[in-house]
Amino acid sequence: MKKSLLATGIVLLFLSGTAAAKEVNEGMCASYTKMYCSRCHSIKRICKALEKKDEEQWRQTVTTMAEYGGLDQDTQNTVHACLSGMKPGDPIVCKK
Ligand code: HEC
């Protein structure tokens, strides 16, 4: 009995973890990066980083930037979902 309760808890934890992954689309990503990530530096900096960062590294970068800029958790999740879904050279952050 105790064991199965524990297992349920673990499954719930897992489900709530995946539920936190945001659904994002191009329009959102364009406006979020423009609004929150090009205030202090060029958006080209993000374009360059696309070539070398994976999902985990983006999590760290977004956390650091959020500390600099005071971005709330929801904004961080959105931007992170956007960035980790982008390919190198993605026109959302690489145009011009
Ligand atoms: C409050 C100012 C500020 C805001 C807002 C900001 N940044 Fe930065 N960012 C910096 C500074 C300062 C540096 C250079 C120092 C450093 O690397 O930590 C930097 C460096 C970077 C770098 C290059 C360094 C690395 O870790 O690869 C990337 C990529 C980056 N920012 C992405 C972003 C993204 C994505 C956002 C939006 C979530 C963002 N920044 C918002 C200030 C800011």
Side-chain angles (χ1 to χ4, degrees):
M1 184 58 191
K2 236 184 177 172
K3 238 182 192 166
S4 71
L5 267 182
L6 192 69
T8 312
I10 289 168
V11 169
L12 281 178
L13 208 69
F14 178 72
L15 283 178
S16 61
T18 49
K22 294 276 281 190
E23 282 281 337
V24 292
N25 60 46
E26 231 174 82
M28 271 168 88
C29 292
S31 56
Y32 268 74
T33 48
K34 200 168 167 197
M35 195 158 29
Y36 297 109
C37 305
S38 63
R39 187 150 50 91
C40 306
H41 48 66
S42 158
I43 203 138
K44 281 201 192 116
R45 189 167 250 184
I46 301 169
C47 175
K48 271 196 187 147
L50 280 181
E51 290 163 25
K52 47 192 179 202
K53 286 189 200 290
D54 62 16
E55 199 190 327
E56 184 49 39
Q57 287 165 311
W58 274 123
R59 176 60 73 190
Q60 279 167 16
T61 304
V62 171
T63 305
T64 310
M65 296 305 140
E67 278 164 15
Y68 293 164
L71 308 178
D72 67 28
Q73 193 58 53
D74 195 54
T75 304
Q76 290 178 51
N77 290 345
T78 303
V79 171
H80 177 260
C82 289
L83 295 173
S84 42
M86 284 182 198
K87 294 184 183 64
D90 197 300
I92 295 175
V93 293
C94 296
K95 61 186 165 213
K96 275 166 265 161

